[in-house]
Coordinates of all heavy atoms in Angstrom, one line a residue:
P52 N 79.6 120.6 95.2 CA 78.6 119.9 94.3 C 77.8 118.9 95.2 O 78.3 118.1 96.0 CB 79.5 119.1 93.3 CG 80.7 119.9 93.3 CD 80.9 120.4 94.7
F53 N 76.4 118.9 95.0 CA 75.6 118.1 95.8 C 74.6 117.2 95.0 O 74.6 116.0 95.2 CB 74.7 119.0 96.8 CG 73.7 118.2 97.5 CD1 74.1 117.3 98.5 CD2 72.3 118.4 97.3 CE1 73.1 116.6 99.2 CE2 71.4 117.8 98.0 CZ 71.7 116.8 99.0
S54 N 73.9 117.8 94.0 CA 72.9 117.0 93.3 C 73.0 117.3 91.8 O 72.9 118.5 91.4 CB 71.5 117.3 93.8 OG 70.5 116.7 93.1
W55 N 73.2 116.3 91.0 CA 73.3 116.5 89.6 C 72.0 116.0 88.9 O 71.5 115.0 89.2 CB 74.5 115.6 89.0 CG 75.8 115.8 89.7 CD1 76.2 115.4 91.0 CD2 76.9 116.5 89.2 NE1 77.5 115.8 91.2 CE2 78.0 116.5 90.2 CE3 77.2 117.1 87.9 CZ2 79.2 117.0 90.0 CZ3 78.5 117.7 87.7 CH2 79.4 117.6 88.7
S56 N 71.6 116.7 87.8 CA 70.5 116.3 87.1 C 70.6 116.7 85.6 O 71.3 117.7 85.3 CB 69.1 116.8 87.7 OG 69.1 118.2 87.7
G57 N 70.0 116.0 84.7 CA 70.1 116.3 83.3 C 71.5 116.3 82.8 O 71.9 117.1 82.0
V58 N 72.3 115.2 83.2 CA 73.7 115.1 82.7 C 73.7 114.2 81.5 O 73.2 113.1 81.5 CB 74.5 114.4 83.8 CG1 75.9 114.3 83.4 CG2 74.5 115.3 85.1
R59 N 74.3 114.7 80.4 CA 74.4 114.0 79.2 C 75.9 114.1 78.7 O 76.5 115.1 78.7 CB 73.5 114.5 78.1 CG 72.0 114.4 78.4 CD 71.2 114.7 77.2 NE 71.4 116.0 76.7 CZ 70.8 117.1 77.2 NH1 69.9 117.0 78.2 NH2 71.0 118.3 76.6
L60 N 76.5 112.9 78.3 CA 77.8 112.8 77.8 C 77.8 112.7 76.3 O 77.2 111.7 75.8 CB 78.6 111.7 78.5 CG 80.1 111.5 78.2 CD1 80.8 112.7 78.8 CD2 80.6 110.2 78.8
H61 N 78.4 113.6 75.6 CA 78.4 113.6 74.1 C 79.7 113.0 73.5 O 79.6 112.5 72.4 CB 78.2 115.0 73.6 CG 77.0 115.7 74.2 ND1 75.7 115.3 74.1 CD2 77.0 116.8 75.0 CE1 74.9 116.1 74.7 NE2 75.6 117.0 75.3
A62 N 80.8 113.1 74.2 CA 82.1 112.6 73.7 C 83.0 112.3 74.9 O 82.7 112.7 76.0 CB 82.7 113.7 72.8
T63 N 84.0 111.5 74.7 CA 84.9 111.0 75.7 C 86.4 111.3 75.4 O 86.7 111.5 74.2 CB 84.7 109.5 76.0 OG1 85.1 108.8 74.8 CG2 83.3 109.2 76.4
G64 N 87.2 111.3 76.4 CA 88.7 111.3 76.1 C 89.3 112.6 75.8 O 90.4 112.7 75.3
S65 N 88.6 113.7 76.1 CA 89.1 115.0 75.7 C 90.1 115.5 76.7 O 89.9 115.5 77.9 CB 88.0 116.1 75.5 OG 88.6 117.3 75.2
A66 N 91.3 115.9 76.3 CA 92.4 116.5 77.2 C 92.3 118.0 77.4 O 93.0 118.5 78.2 CB 93.7 116.1 76.7
V67 N 91.4 118.6 76.6 CA 91.1 120.1 76.7 C 89.6 120.3 76.8 O 88.9 119.7 76.0 CB 91.7 120.8 75.5 CG1 91.4 122.3 75.6 CG2 93.2 120.6 75.4
L68 N 89.2 121.1 77.8 CA 87.8 121.4 78.0 C 87.6 122.9 77.9 O 88.4 123.6 78.5 CB 87.3 120.8 79.3 CG 87.3 119.3 79.5 CD1 86.6 118.9 80.8 CD2 86.5 118.6 78.3
R69 N 86.5 123.3 77.3 CA 86.0 124.7 77.3 C 84.6 124.6 77.8 O 83.7 123.9 77.3 CB 86.1 125.3 75.9 CG 87.5 125.4 75.4 CD 87.5 126.0 74.0 NE 88.8 126.2 73.5 CZ 89.1 126.5 72.2 NH1 88.1 126.7 71.4 NH2 90.4 126.7 71.9
A70 N 84.3 125.3 78.9 CA 83.0 125.2 79.6 C 82.4 126.6 79.7 O 83.1 127.6 80.0 CB 83.1 124.5 80.9
Q71 N 81.1 126.6 79.6 CA 80.3 127.8 79.9 C 79.4 127.5 81.1 O 78.7 126.5 81.1 CB 79.4 128.2 78.8 CG 80.2 128.7 77.6 CD 79.2 129.3 76.5 OE1 78.2 129.9 76.9 NE2 79.6 129.1 75.2
I72 N 79.5 128.3 82.2 CA 78.7 128.1 83.4 C 77.8 129.2 83.6 O 78.2 130.4 83.5 CB 79.7 128.0 84.6 CG1 80.8 127.0 84.4 CG2 78.9 127.7 85.9 CD1 81.9 127.0 85.5
S73 N 76.5 128.9 83.8 CA 75.5 129.9 84.1 C 74.7 129.5 85.3 O 74.6 128.4 85.6 CB 74.6 130.1 82.8 OG 74.0 128.9 82.5
R74 N 74.1 130.5 85.9 CA 73.2 130.3 87.0 C 71.9 129.6 86.6 O 71.3 130.0 85.5 CB 72.9 131.5 87.8 CG 74.2 132.1 88.5 CD 73.9 133.2 89.4 NE 73.0 132.8 90.6 CZ 72.9 133.5 91.7 NH1 73.5 134.6 91.8 NH2 72.1 133.1 92.7
A75 N 71.4 128.7 87.3 CA 70.2 128.0 87.0 C 69.2 128.0 88.2 O 68.4 127.1 88.3 CB 70.4 126.5 86.6
G76 N 69.3 129.0 89.0 CA 68.5 129.1 90.2 C 69.3 129.4 91.4 O 70.5 129.6 91.3
E77 N 68.7 129.4 92.6 CA 69.4 129.7 93.8 C 70.4 128.5 94.1 O 70.0 127.4 94.3 CB 68.5 129.9 95.0 CG 69.1 130.2 96.3 CD 68.2 130.5 97.4 OE1 66.9 130.4 97.2 OE2 68.6 130.7 98.5
D78 N 71.7 128.8 94.2 CA 72.7 127.8 94.5 C 72.7 126.7 93.5 O 73.0 125.5 93.8 CB 72.6 127.2 95.9 CG 72.9 128.3 97.0 OD1 73.7 129.2 96.7 OD2 72.3 128.2 98.1
C79 N 72.3 127.0 92.2 CA 72.3 126.0 91.1 C 73.0 126.6 89.9 O 73.0 127.8 89.7 CB 70.9 125.6 90.8 SG 69.9 124.9 92.1
I80 N 73.7 125.7 89.2 CA 74.3 126.1 87.9 C 74.0 125.2 86.8 O 73.6 124.0 87.1 CB 75.9 126.2 88.1 CG1 76.4 124.9 88.5 CG2 76.3 127.3 89.1 CD1 78.0 124.8 88.5

Side-chain angles (χ1 to χ4, degrees):
F53 173 67
S54 176
W55 306 73
S56 58
V58 179
R59 296 192 301 275
L60 187 65
H61 308 295
T63 63
S65 178
V67 177
L68 295 183
R69 294 175 177 174
Q71 293 189 36
I72 306 172
S73 57
R74 295 189 62 163
E77 184 177 356
D78 290 332
C79 298
I80 59 173

